[in-house]
mmCIF file of all heavy atoms in Angstrom:
data_model
loop_
_atom_site.group_PDB
_atom_site.id
_atom_site.type_symbol
_atom_site.label_atom_id
_atom_site.label_comp_id
_atom_site.label_asym_id
_atom_site.label_seq_id
_atom_site.Cartn_x
_atom_site.Cartn_y
_atom_site.Cartn_z
ATOM 1 N N VAL A 283 0.832 -1.209 0.000
ATOM 2 C CA VAL A 283 0.000 0.000 0.000
ATOM 3 C C VAL A 283 0.865 1.256 0.000
ATOM 4 O O VAL A 283 0.569 2.235 -0.683
ATOM 5 C CB VAL A 283 -0.939 -0.001 1.228
ATOM 6 C CG1 VAL A 283 -1.709 1.311 1.308
ATOM 7 C CG2 VAL A 283 -1.894 -1.179 1.172
ATOM 8 N N ASN A 284 1.973 1.220 0.741
ATOM 9 C CA ASN A 284 2.841 2.389 0.879
ATOM 10 C C ASN A 284 3.865 2.533 -0.250
ATOM 11 O O ASN A 284 4.708 3.429 -0.206
ATOM 12 C CB ASN A 284 3.584 2.338 2.227
ATOM 13 C CG ASN A 284 2.628 2.358 3.404
ATOM 14 O OD1 ASN A 284 1.515 2.872 3.303
ATOM 15 N ND2 ASN A 284 3.058 1.799 4.535
ATOM 16 N N GLY A 285 3.820 1.652 -1.223
ATOM 17 C CA GLY A 285 4.728 1.757 -2.355
ATOM 18 C C GLY A 285 6.116 1.210 -2.104
ATOM 19 O O GLY A 285 7.042 1.466 -2.892
ATOM 20 N N GLU A 286 6.288 0.452 -1.012
ATOM 21 C CA GLU A 286 7.606 -0.121 -0.723
ATOM 22 C C GLU A 286 7.895 -1.339 -1.607
ATOM 23 O O GLU A 286 9.055 -1.737 -1.766
ATOM 24 C CB GLU A 286 7.688 -0.522 0.758
ATOM 25 C CG GLU A 286 7.574 0.664 1.708
ATOM 26 C CD GLU A 286 7.328 0.220 3.145
ATOM 27 O OE1 GLU A 286 7.806 -0.881 3.500
ATOM 28 O OE2 GLU A 286 6.660 0.952 3.905
ATOM 29 N N ILE A 287 6.844 -1.952 -2.153
ATOM 30 C CA ILE A 287 7.020 -3.061 -3.080
ATOM 31 C C ILE A 287 7.034 -2.476 -4.480
ATOM 32 O O ILE A 287 6.029 -1.938 -4.948
ATOM 33 C CB ILE A 287 5.878 -4.091 -2.950
ATOM 34 C CG1 ILE A 287 5.800 -4.626 -1.511
ATOM 35 C CG2 ILE A 287 6.065 -5.229 -3.939
ATOM 36 C CD1 ILE A 287 7.054 -5.342 -1.033
ATOM 37 N N PRO A 288 8.156 -2.522 -5.180
ATOM 38 C CA PRO A 288 8.265 -1.867 -6.493
ATOM 39 C C PRO A 288 7.401 -2.557 -7.547
ATOM 40 O O PRO A 288 7.103 -3.749 -7.444
ATOM 41 C CB PRO A 288 9.756 -1.994 -6.823
ATOM 42 C CG PRO A 288 10.223 -3.186 -6.047
ATOM 43 C CD PRO A 288 9.415 -3.187 -4.780
ATOM 44 N N PRO A 289 6.989 -1.818 -8.571
ATOM 45 C CA PRO A 289 6.145 -2.391 -9.627
ATOM 46 C C PRO A 289 6.841 -3.459 -10.454
ATOM 47 O O PRO A 289 6.187 -4.183 -11.207
ATOM 48 C CB PRO A 289 5.767 -1.170 -10.475
ATOM 49 C CG PRO A 289 6.827 -0.159 -10.200
ATOM 50 C CD PRO A 289 7.235 -0.373 -8.779
ATOM 51 N N ASP A 290 8.169 -3.559 -10.313
ATOM 52 C CA ASP A 290 8.892 -4.599 -11.042
ATOM 53 C C ASP A 290 9.381 -5.708 -10.092
ATOM 54 O O ASP A 290 10.307 -6.449 -10.423
ATOM 55 C CB ASP A 290 10.072 -4.016 -11.813
ATOM 56 C CG ASP A 290 11.129 -3.389 -10.899
ATOM 57 O OD1 ASP A 290 10.860 -3.239 -9.680
ATOM 58 O OD2 ASP A 290 12.217 -3.058 -11.400
ATOM 59 N N TRP A 291 8.720 -5.813 -8.914
ATOM 60 C CA TRP A 291 9.075 -6.911 -8.000
ATOM 61 C C TRP A 291 8.874 -8.242 -8.728
ATOM 62 O O TRP A 291 7.910 -8.404 -9.498
ATOM 63 C CB TRP A 291 8.201 -6.854 -6.739
ATOM 64 C CG TRP A 291 8.550 -7.895 -5.724
ATOM 65 C CD1 TRP A 291 9.802 -8.251 -5.308
ATOM 66 C CD2 TRP A 291 7.635 -8.717 -4.980
ATOM 67 N NE1 TRP A 291 9.730 -9.241 -4.351
ATOM 68 C CE2 TRP A 291 8.414 -9.544 -4.140
ATOM 69 C CE3 TRP A 291 6.245 -8.834 -4.948
ATOM 70 C CZ2 TRP A 291 7.831 -10.477 -3.267
ATOM 71 C CZ3 TRP A 291 5.667 -9.756 -4.088
ATOM 72 C CH2 TRP A 291 6.458 -10.567 -3.256
ATOM 73 N N GLU A 292 9.770 -9.172 -8.482
ATOM 74 C CA GLU A 292 9.757 -10.438 -9.213
ATOM 75 C C GLU A 292 8.431 -11.194 -9.121
ATOM 76 O O GLU A 292 8.094 -11.979 -10.011
ATOM 77 C CB GLU A 292 10.893 -11.347 -8.717
ATOM 78 C CG GLU A 292 12.287 -10.861 -9.067
ATOM 79 C CD GLU A 292 12.891 -9.899 -8.064
ATOM 80 O OE1 GLU A 292 12.122 -9.227 -7.327
ATOM 81 O OE2 GLU A 292 14.131 -9.804 -7.999
ATOM 82 N N MET A 293 7.660 -10.963 -8.052
ATOM 83 C CA MET A 293 6.409 -11.699 -7.868
ATOM 84 C C MET A 293 5.196 -10.779 -7.945
ATOM 85 O O MET A 293 4.128 -11.102 -7.424
ATOM 86 C CB MET A 293 6.450 -12.441 -6.518
ATOM 87 C CG MET A 293 7.610 -13.433 -6.426
ATOM 88 S SD MET A 293 7.794 -14.193 -4.788
ATOM 89 C CE MET A 293 6.343 -15.240 -4.766
ATOM 90 N N ILE A 294 5.336 -9.658 -8.642
ATOM 91 C CA ILE A 294 4.297 -8.629 -8.645
ATOM 92 C C ILE A 294 2.969 -9.133 -9.197
ATOM 93 O O ILE A 294 1.888 -8.726 -8.728
ATOM 94 C CB ILE A 294 4.762 -7.380 -9.438
ATOM 95 C CG1 ILE A 294 3.811 -6.202 -9.215
ATOM 96 C CG2 ILE A 294 4.934 -7.688 -10.900
ATOM 97 C CD1 ILE A 294 3.797 -5.678 -7.798
ATOM 98 N N SER A 295 2.987 -10.023 -10.189
ATOM 99 C CA SER A 295 1.728 -10.488 -10.794
ATOM 100 C C SER A 295 0.836 -11.194 -9.781
ATOM 101 O O SER A 295 -0.394 -11.166 -9.902
ATOM 102 C CB SER A 295 2.012 -11.427 -11.972
ATOM 103 O OG SER A 295 2.394 -10.707 -13.121
ATOM 104 N N TRP A 296 1.439 -11.845 -8.798
ATOM 105 C CA TRP A 296 0.662 -12.612 -7.829
ATOM 106 C C TRP A 296 -0.101 -11.720 -6.857
ATOM 107 O O TRP A 296 -1.110 -12.145 -6.285
ATOM 108 C CB TRP A 296 1.574 -13.557 -7.049
ATOM 109 C CG TRP A 296 2.147 -14.618 -7.914
ATOM 110 C CD1 TRP A 296 3.389 -14.643 -8.496
ATOM 111 C CD2 TRP A 296 1.494 -15.827 -8.338
ATOM 112 N NE1 TRP A 296 3.540 -15.776 -9.243
ATOM 113 C CE2 TRP A 296 2.405 -16.519 -9.166
ATOM 114 C CE3 TRP A 296 0.234 -16.371 -8.086
ATOM 115 C CZ2 TRP A 296 2.079 -17.745 -9.753
ATOM 116 C CZ3 TRP A 296 -0.079 -17.583 -8.669
ATOM 117 C CH2 TRP A 296 0.835 -18.254 -9.494
ATOM 118 N N ILE A 297 0.374 -10.504 -6.641
ATOM 119 C CA ILE A 297 -0.282 -9.640 -5.656
ATOM 120 C C ILE A 297 -1.027 -8.475 -6.292
ATOM 121 O O ILE A 297 -1.862 -7.846 -5.647
ATOM 122 C CB ILE A 297 0.733 -9.099 -4.622
ATOM 123 C CG1 ILE A 297 1.784 -8.225 -5.302
ATOM 124 C CG2 ILE A 297 1.386 -10.243 -3.870
ATOM 125 C CD1 ILE A 297 2.655 -7.469 -4.331
ATOM 126 N N ALA A 298 -0.727 -8.183 -7.551
ATOM 127 C CA ALA A 298 -1.363 -7.033 -8.221
ATOM 128 C C ALA A 298 -2.739 -7.390 -8.772
ATOM 129 O O ALA A 298 -3.496 -6.498 -9.148
ATOM 130 C CB ALA A 298 -0.468 -6.525 -9.349
ATOM 131 N N MET A 299 -3.060 -8.675 -8.828
ATOM 132 C CA MET A 299 -4.369 -9.086 -9.345
ATOM 133 C C MET A 299 -5.495 -8.572 -8.454
ATOM 134 O O MET A 299 -5.347 -8.480 -7.244
ATOM 135 C CB MET A 299 -4.451 -10.618 -9.429
ATOM 136 C CG MET A 299 -3.634 -11.219 -10.536
ATOM 137 S SD MET A 299 -3.946 -12.997 -10.728
ATOM 138 C CE MET A 299 -3.112 -13.647 -9.293
ATOM 139 N N ASP A 300 -6.632 -8.271 -9.090
ATOM 140 C CA ASP A 300 -7.823 -7.841 -8.357
ATOM 141 C C ASP A 300 -8.964 -8.749 -8.819
ATOM 142 O O ASP A 300 -9.685 -8.458 -9.764
ATOM 143 C CB ASP A 300 -8.135 -6.374 -8.675
ATOM 144 C CG ASP A 300 -9.302 -5.842 -7.850
ATOM 145 O OD1 ASP A 300 -9.745 -6.549 -6.923
ATOM 146 O OD2 ASP A 300 -9.777 -4.733 -8.147
ATOM 147 N N ASN A 301 -9.109 -9.873 -8.140
ATOM 148 C CA ASN A 301 -10.127 -10.857 -8.527
ATOM 149 C C ASN A 301 -10.560 -11.654 -7.308
ATOM 150 O O ASN A 301 -10.195 -11.320 -6.180
ATOM 151 C CB ASN A 301 -9.593 -11.782 -9.638
ATOM 152 C CG ASN A 301 -8.296 -12.464 -9.237
ATOM 153 O OD1 ASN A 301 -8.043 -12.731 -8.079
ATOM 154 N ND2 ASN A 301 -7.468 -12.758 -10.227
ATOM 155 N N MET A 302 -11.315 -12.720 -7.523
ATOM 156 C CA MET A 302 -11.828 -13.475 -6.384
ATOM 157 C C MET A 302 -10.709 -14.160 -5.601
ATOM 158 O O MET A 302 -10.867 -14.480 -4.424
ATOM 159 C CB MET A 302 -12.855 -14.518 -6.832
ATOM 160 C CG MET A 302 -12.287 -15.654 -7.649
ATOM 161 S SD MET A 302 -13.541 -16.883 -8.014
ATOM 162 C CE MET A 302 -12.546 -18.089 -8.916
ATOM 163 N N VAL A 303 -9.566 -14.382 -6.244
ATOM 164 C CA VAL A 303 -8.441 -15.024 -5.566
ATOM 165 C C VAL A 303 -7.839 -14.091 -4.518
ATOM 166 O O VAL A 303 -7.399 -14.528 -3.455
ATOM 167 C CB VAL A 303 -7.369 -15.452 -6.585
ATOM 168 C CG1 VAL A 303 -6.149 -16.032 -5.879
ATOM 169 C CG2 VAL A 303 -7.942 -16.475 -7.564
ATOM 170 N N THR A 304 -7.811 -12.795 -4.820
ATOM 171 C CA THR A 304 -7.187 -11.836 -3.909
ATOM 172 C C THR A 304 -8.190 -10.986 -3.142
ATOM 173 O O THR A 304 -7.798 -10.149 -2.330
ATOM 174 C CB THR A 304 -6.249 -10.891 -4.696
ATOM 175 O OG1 THR A 304 -7.009 -10.214 -5.702
ATOM 176 C CG2 THR A 304 -5.120 -11.670 -5.357
ATOM 177 N N ALA A 305 -9.481 -11.177 -3.414
ATOM 178 C CA ALA A 305 -10.504 -10.356 -2.735
ATOM 179 C C ALA A 305 -10.679 -10.798 -1.289
ATOM 180 O O ALA A 305 -10.337 -11.914 -0.905
ATOM 181 C CB ALA A 305 -11.829 -10.456 -3.484
ATOM 182 N N TYR A 306 -11.264 -9.916 -0.492
ATOM 183 C CA TYR A 306 -11.434 -10.161 0.940
ATOM 184 C C TYR A 306 -12.868 -9.826 1.350
ATOM 185 O O TYR A 306 -13.477 -8.893 0.854
ATOM 186 C CB TYR A 306 -10.452 -9.292 1.732
ATOM 187 C CG TYR A 306 -10.536 -9.441 3.237
ATOM 188 C CD1 TYR A 306 -10.201 -10.635 3.860
ATOM 189 C CD2 TYR A 306 -10.956 -8.377 4.033
ATOM 190 C CE1 TYR A 306 -10.257 -10.768 5.239
ATOM 191 C CE2 TYR A 306 -11.021 -8.490 5.417
ATOM 192 C CZ TYR A 306 -10.669 -9.699 6.010
ATOM 193 O OH TYR A 306 -10.732 -9.827 7.379
ATOM 194 N N GLY A 307 -13.402 -10.620 2.275
ATOM 195 C CA GLY A 307 -14.707 -10.325 2.862
ATOM 196 C C GLY A 307 -15.846 -10.340 1.850
ATOM 197 O O GLY A 307 -15.995 -11.262 1.062
ATOM 198 N N LYS A 308 -16.667 -9.277 1.867
ATOM 199 C CA LYS A 308 -17.851 -9.204 1.003
ATOM 200 C C LYS A 308 -17.483 -9.230 -0.480
ATOM 201 O O LYS A 308 -18.219 -9.785 -1.304
ATOM 202 C CB LYS A 308 -18.653 -7.943 1.330
ATOM 203 C CG LYS A 308 -19.306 -7.965 2.708
ATOM 204 C CD LYS A 308 -20.071 -6.680 2.971
ATOM 205 C CE LYS A 308 -20.724 -6.700 4.352
ATOM 206 N NZ LYS A 308 -21.444 -5.432 4.647
ATOM 207 N N ASP A 309 -16.341 -8.630 -0.835
ATOM 208 C CA ASP A 309 -15.915 -8.640 -2.234
ATOM 209 C C ASP A 309 -15.624 -10.059 -2.696
ATOM 210 O O ASP A 309 -15.961 -10.444 -3.820
ATOM 211 C CB ASP A 309 -14.667 -7.768 -2.424
ATOM 212 C CG ASP A 309 -14.989 -6.287 -2.365
ATOM 213 O OD1 ASP A 309 -16.134 -5.924 -2.683
ATOM 214 O OD2 ASP A 309 -14.096 -5.501 -2.001
ATOM 215 N N HIS A 310 -15.007 -10.840 -1.834
ATOM 216 C CA HIS A 310 -14.708 -12.234 -2.180
ATOM 217 C C HIS A 310 -15.998 -13.032 -2.376
ATOM 218 O O HIS A 310 -16.139 -13.787 -3.349
ATOM 219 C CB HIS A 310 -13.846 -12.881 -1.094
ATOM 220 C CG HIS A 310 -13.612 -14.335 -1.317
ATOM 221 N ND1 HIS A 310 -14.202 -15.312 -0.545
ATOM 222 C CD2 HIS A 310 -12.891 -14.992 -2.254
ATOM 223 C CE1 HIS A 310 -13.827 -16.504 -0.983
ATOM 224 N NE2 HIS A 310 -13.041 -16.338 -2.017
ATOM 225 N N VAL A 311 -16.959 -12.847 -1.475
ATOM 226 C CA VAL A 311 -18.240 -13.558 -1.581
ATOM 227 C C VAL A 311 -18.946 -13.171 -2.878
ATOM 228 O O VAL A 311 -19.477 -14.030 -3.603
ATOM 229 C CB VAL A 311 -19.134 -13.246 -0.363
ATOM 230 C CG1 VAL A 311 -20.518 -13.839 -0.556
ATOM 231 C CG2 VAL A 311 -18.495 -13.787 0.916
ATOM 232 N N ARG A 312 -18.960 -11.860 -3.200
ATOM 233 C CA ARG A 312 -19.619 -11.371 -4.419
ATOM 234 C C ARG A 312 -19.003 -11.996 -5.672
ATOM 235 O O ARG A 312 -19.722 -12.513 -6.542
ATOM 236 C CB ARG A 312 -19.479 -9.839 -4.472
ATOM 237 C CG ARG A 312 -19.881 -9.213 -5.800
ATOM 238 C CD ARG A 312 -19.804 -7.687 -5.730
ATOM 239 N NE ARG A 312 -18.500 -7.198 -5.321
ATOM 240 C CZ ARG A 312 -17.476 -7.008 -6.144
ATOM 241 N NH1 ARG A 312 -17.623 -7.262 -7.439
ATOM 242 N NH2 ARG A 312 -16.325 -6.556 -5.702
ATOM 243 N N LEU A 313 -17.686 -11.981 -5.771
ATOM 244 C CA LEU A 313 -17.014 -12.497 -6.962
ATOM 245 C C LEU A 313 -17.111 -14.010 -7.056
ATOM 246 O O LEU A 313 -17.313 -14.575 -8.139
ATOM 247 C CB LEU A 313 -15.545 -12.061 -6.958
ATOM 248 C CG LEU A 313 -15.313 -10.560 -7.139
ATOM 249 C CD1 LEU A 313 -13.856 -10.210 -6.887
ATOM 250 C CD2 LEU A 313 -15.725 -10.117 -8.527
ATOM 251 N N ARG A 314 -16.998 -14.678 -5.926
ATOM 252 C CA ARG A 314 -17.064 -16.139 -5.937
ATOM 253 C C ARG A 314 -18.458 -16.615 -6.371
ATOM 254 O O ARG A 314 -18.595 -17.612 -7.069
ATOM 255 C CB ARG A 314 -16.700 -16.682 -4.555
ATOM 256 C CG ARG A 314 -16.487 -18.203 -4.544
ATOM 257 C CD ARG A 314 -15.979 -18.655 -3.188
ATOM 258 N NE ARG A 314 -15.916 -20.091 -3.103
ATOM 259 C CZ ARG A 314 -14.842 -20.827 -3.390
ATOM 260 N NH1 ARG A 314 -13.743 -20.242 -3.804
ATOM 261 N NH2 ARG A 314 -14.868 -22.140 -3.268
ATOM 262 N N ARG A 315 -19.481 -15.866 -5.967
ATOM 263 C CA ARG A 315 -20.842 -16.213 -6.361
ATOM 264 C C ARG A 315 -21.009 -16.117 -7.887
ATOM 265 O O ARG A 315 -21.618 -16.974 -8.516
ATOM 266 C CB ARG A 315 -21.810 -15.247 -5.672
ATOM 267 C CG ARG A 315 -22.917 -15.975 -4.913
ATOM 268 C CD ARG A 315 -23.773 -14.993 -4.139
ATOM 269 N NE ARG A 315 -23.791 -15.304 -2.724
ATOM 270 C CZ ARG A 315 -24.022 -14.433 -1.771
ATOM 271 N NH1 ARG A 315 -24.222 -13.172 -2.074
ATOM 272 N NH2 ARG A 315 -24.052 -14.817 -0.525
ATOM 273 N N LEU A 316 -20.464 -15.059 -8.467
ATOM 274 C CA LEU A 316 -20.569 -14.869 -9.916
ATOM 275 C C LEU A 316 -19.865 -15.991 -10.680
ATOM 276 O O LEU A 316 -20.405 -16.552 -11.627
ATOM 277 C CB LEU A 316 -19.952 -13.527 -10.310
ATOM 278 C CG LEU A 316 -20.784 -12.270 -10.075
ATOM 279 C CD1 LEU A 316 -19.928 -11.031 -10.331
ATOM 280 C CD2 LEU A 316 -21.999 -12.256 -10.993
ATOM 281 N N VAL A 317 -18.642 -16.324 -10.259
ATOM 282 C CA VAL A 317 -17.853 -17.331 -10.962
ATOM 283 C C VAL A 317 -18.347 -18.737 -10.662
ATOM 284 O O VAL A 317 -18.305 -19.622 -11.516
ATOM 285 C CB VAL A 317 -16.363 -17.188 -10.580
ATOM 286 C CG1 VAL A 317 -15.525 -18.268 -11.256
ATOM 287 C CG2 VAL A 317 -15.843 -15.808 -10.961
ATOM 288 N N GLY A 318 -18.866 -18.944 -9.441
ATOM 289 C CA GLY A 318 -19.268 -20.277 -9.010
ATOM 290 C C GLY A 318 -20.344 -20.912 -9.860
ATOM 291 O O GLY A 318 -20.442 -22.145 -9.934
ATOM 292 N N ARG A 319 -21.132 -20.088 -10.554
ATOM 293 C CA ARG A 319 -22.201 -20.629 -11.400
ATOM 294 C C ARG A 319 -21.659 -21.498 -12.526
ATOM 295 O O ARG A 319 -22.362 -22.375 -13.040
ATOM 296 C CB ARG A 319 -23.011 -19.483 -12.003
ATOM 297 C CG ARG A 319 -23.730 -18.627 -10.970
ATOM 298 C CD ARG A 319 -24.305 -17.378 -11.602
ATOM 299 N NE ARG A 319 -24.845 -16.466 -10.602
ATOM 300 C CZ ARG A 319 -25.215 -15.218 -10.860
ATOM 301 N NH1 ARG A 319 -25.097 -14.744 -12.094
ATOM 302 N NH2 ARG A 319 -25.696 -14.448 -9.909
ATOM 303 N N ALA A 320 -20.421 -21.242 -12.914
ATOM 304 C CA ALA A 320 -19.830 -22.011 -14.018
ATOM 305 C C ALA A 320 -19.242 -23.335 -13.546
ATOM 306 O O ALA A 320 -18.842 -24.153 -14.378
ATOM 307 C CB ALA A 320 -18.737 -21.181 -14.685
ATOM 308 N N PHE A 321 -19.210 -23.562 -12.236
ATOM 309 C CA PHE A 321 -18.524 -24.743 -11.718
ATOM 310 C C PHE A 321 -19.412 -25.607 -10.825
ATOM 311 O O PHE A 321 -18.928 -26.271 -9.913
ATOM 312 C CB PHE A 321 -17.270 -24.314 -10.950
ATOM 313 C CG PHE A 321 -16.234 -23.663 -11.824
ATOM 314 C CD1 PHE A 321 -16.161 -22.279 -11.924
ATOM 315 C CD2 PHE A 321 -15.347 -24.422 -12.556
ATOM 316 C CE1 PHE A 321 -15.210 -21.672 -12.739
ATOM 317 C CE2 PHE A 321 -14.399 -23.834 -13.374
ATOM 318 C CZ PHE A 321 -14.334 -22.450 -13.465
ATOM 319 N N THR A 322 -20.705 -25.600 -11.071
ATOM 320 C CA THR A 322 -21.601 -26.471 -10.314
ATOM 321 C C THR A 322 -21.338 -27.926 -10.695
ATOM 322 O O THR A 322 -20.821 -28.207 -11.789
ATOM 323 C CB THR A 322 -23.074 -26.136 -10.617
ATOM 324 O OG1 THR A 322 -23.311 -26.394 -12.013
ATOM 325 C CG2 THR A 322 -23.392 -24.689 -10.297
ATOM 326 N N PRO A 323 -21.684 -28.894 -9.826
ATOM 327 C CA PRO A 323 -21.484 -30.310 -10.155
ATOM 328 C C PRO A 323 -22.151 -30.706 -11.464
ATOM 329 O O PRO A 323 -21.597 -31.478 -12.254
ATOM 330 C CB PRO A 323 -22.104 -31.031 -8.959
ATOM 331 C CG PRO A 323 -21.942 -30.076 -7.820
ATOM 332 C CD PRO A 323 -22.137 -28.713 -8.426
ATOM 333 N N ARG A 324 -23.330 -30.155 -11.736
ATOM 334 C CA ARG A 324 -24.035 -30.506 -12.976
ATOM 335 C C ARG A 324 -23.266 -30.019 -14.195
ATOM 336 O O ARG A 324 -23.116 -30.753 -15.185
ATOM 337 C CB ARG A 324 -25.440 -29.898 -12.955
ATOM 338 C CG ARG A 324 -26.244 -30.195 -14.227
ATOM 339 C CD ARG A 324 -27.637 -29.602 -14.153
ATOM 340 N NE ARG A 324 -28.450 -30.238 -13.110
ATOM 341 C CZ ARG A 324 -29.700 -29.896 -12.830
ATOM 342 N NH1 ARG A 324 -30.278 -28.905 -13.518
ATOM 343 N NH2 ARG A 324 -30.374 -30.499 -11.881
ATOM 344 N N ARG A 325 -22.774 -28.784 -14.140
ATOM 345 C CA ARG A 325 -22.027 -28.253 -15.285
ATOM 346 C C ARG A 325 -20.695 -28.959 -15.434
ATOM 347 O O ARG A 325 -20.211 -29.159 -16.564
ATOM 348 C CB ARG A 325 -21.825 -26.745 -15.133
ATOM 349 C CG ARG A 325 -23.115 -25.960 -15.248
ATOM 350 C CD ARG A 325 -22.880 -24.465 -15.375
ATOM 351 N NE ARG A 325 -22.363 -24.100 -16.688
ATOM 352 C CZ ARG A 325 -22.272 -22.845 -17.107
ATOM 353 N NH1 ARG A 325 -22.664 -21.849 -16.321
ATOM 354 N NH2 ARG A 325 -21.786 -22.562 -18.297
ATOM 355 N N ALA A 326 -20.090 -29.350 -14.314
ATOM 356 C CA ALA A 326 -18.829 -30.091 -14.380
ATOM 357 C C ALA A 326 -19.035 -31.419 -15.094
ATOM 358 O O ALA A 326 -18.246 -31.814 -15.965
ATOM 359 C CB ALA A 326 -18.277 -30.318 -12.977
ATOM 360 N N GLU A 327 -20.102 -32.119 -14.749
ATOM 361 C CA GLU A 327 -20.390 -33.415 -15.370
ATOM 362 C C GLU A 327 -20.720 -33.244 -16.852
ATOM 363 O O GLU A 327 -20.387 -34.112 -17.674
ATOM 364 C CB GLU A 327 -21.542 -34.099 -14.638
ATOM 365 C CG GLU A 327 -21.723 -35.566 -14.976
ATOM 366 C CD GLU A 327 -20.489 -36.401 -14.712
ATOM 367 O OE1 GLU A 327 -19.860 -36.219 -13.648
ATOM 368 O OE2 GLU A 327 -20.139 -37.229 -15.581
#
């Protein structure tokens, strides 16, 4: 948050993402609900 991690840090892609993998709390629930529809047991089968 304070900019101590440079934009060219070797692992920057893993933390710069803004998706259900990196979301927290209500944002995580919201995104997981949207994506989860594609991965129900019926659709998997």
Side-chain angles (χ1 to χ4, degrees):
V283 175
N284 299 334
E286 296 166 31
I287 302 299
D290 63 350
W291 183 45
E292 292 87 336
M293 300 174 70
I294 191 66
S295 282
W296 294 98
I297 63 170
M299 287 188 287
D300 185 9
N301 55 30
M302 68 176 182
V303 176
T304 58
Y306 179 66
K308 292 179 180 178
D309 286 333
H310 175 252
V311 173
R312 169 176 56 85
L313 292 170
R314 191 174 173 92
R315 232 175 238 155
L316 281 172
V317 178
R319 297 170 187 169
F321 295 96
T322 63
R324 179 179 294 179
R325 292 191 73 169
E327 193 57 44

